[in-house]
Amino acid sequence: MKISIGNDHAGPDYKQAVVKMLKERGHEINNHGTDTFDSVDYPDFAHKVGQDVDKAVTEIGIVICGSAQGVSMTVNKYQNVRGAVCWTKEIAGLAREHNNANVICIPARFTSIPQVIAMVETFLDTEFAGGRHATRVNKIACS
């Protein structure tokens, strides 16, 4: 699977751990995030991830910032993106299963790296349930 990832200064160590796990699982990565803790603006990388997913350059997106709120707001501006703020693997699974989320938004300041690895694995391994959930998901986008 091709996956787009981006992060601000709150998450370079999180991104590094997630990218390592993804590569070990055989995924191809588009890396749009910073590799330093120097202050950057989260929309700069979140837009790139949102664009990748919106245009189907990648199937899934992962964005990381301090609270995940800013990156979520940014990626959700794109018509074909359904970004979900997740802080447990159970929420990550439900975001995929019930909401067909295609971008996981991770709050680095409120999670641990092992927790994030488990969340991303769950996000990738969970299928969309469809059915009544598809009816609801189809009502999300603005036309």
Side-chain angles (χ1 to χ4, degrees):
M1 183 183 305
K2 197 166 185 182
I3 299 169
S4 184
I5 190 167
N7 62 287
D8 72 1
H9 53 276
D13 47 346
Y14 284 67
K15 180 189 67 177
Q16 182 180 31
V18 170
V19 166
K20 180 179 183 284
M21 177 273 293
L22 293 172
K23 286 184 176 180
E24 287 171 356
R25 289 180 67 159
H27 298 293
E28 184 180 338
I29 310 301
N30 278 6
N31 181 356
H32 297 297
T34 184
D35 293 320
T36 74
F37 293 99
D38 298 332
S39 182
V40 295
D41 298 330
Y42 63 82
D44 295 341
F45 71 83
H47 276 300
K48 291 177 183 177
V49 173
Q51 290 166 359
D52 279 357
V53 175
D54 185 54
K55 301 297 183 198
V57 173
T58 60
E59 298 169 59
I60 295 290
I62 301 167
V63 288
I64 306 164
C65 76
S67 70
Q69 300 304 328
V71 292
S72 174
M73 291 176 196
T74 304
V75 298
N76 279 308
K77 297 294 181 188
Y78 294 89
Q79 188 71 11
N80 298 310
V81 170
R82 289 170 307 283
V85 176
C86 299
W87 57 94
T88 68
K89 68 180 185 178
E90 293 80 11
I91 291 171
L94 286 171
R96 290 283 289 157
E97 184 181 1
H98 290 186
N99 308 114
N100 201 18
N102 52 12
V103 176
I104 184 170
C105 307
I106 298 169
R109 293 191 178 124
F110 299 93
T111 55
S112 67
I113 289 174
Q115 196 177 2
V116 168
I117 296 298
M119 287 173 10
V120 172
E121 288 175 332
T122 299
F123 193 80
L124 295 176
D125 294 341
T126 303
E127 296 285 328
F128 178 49
R132 72 180 195 267
H133 302 293
T135 302
R136 297 167 184 157
V137 169
N138 290 334
K139 293 179 178 184
I140 293 173
C142 298
S143 350

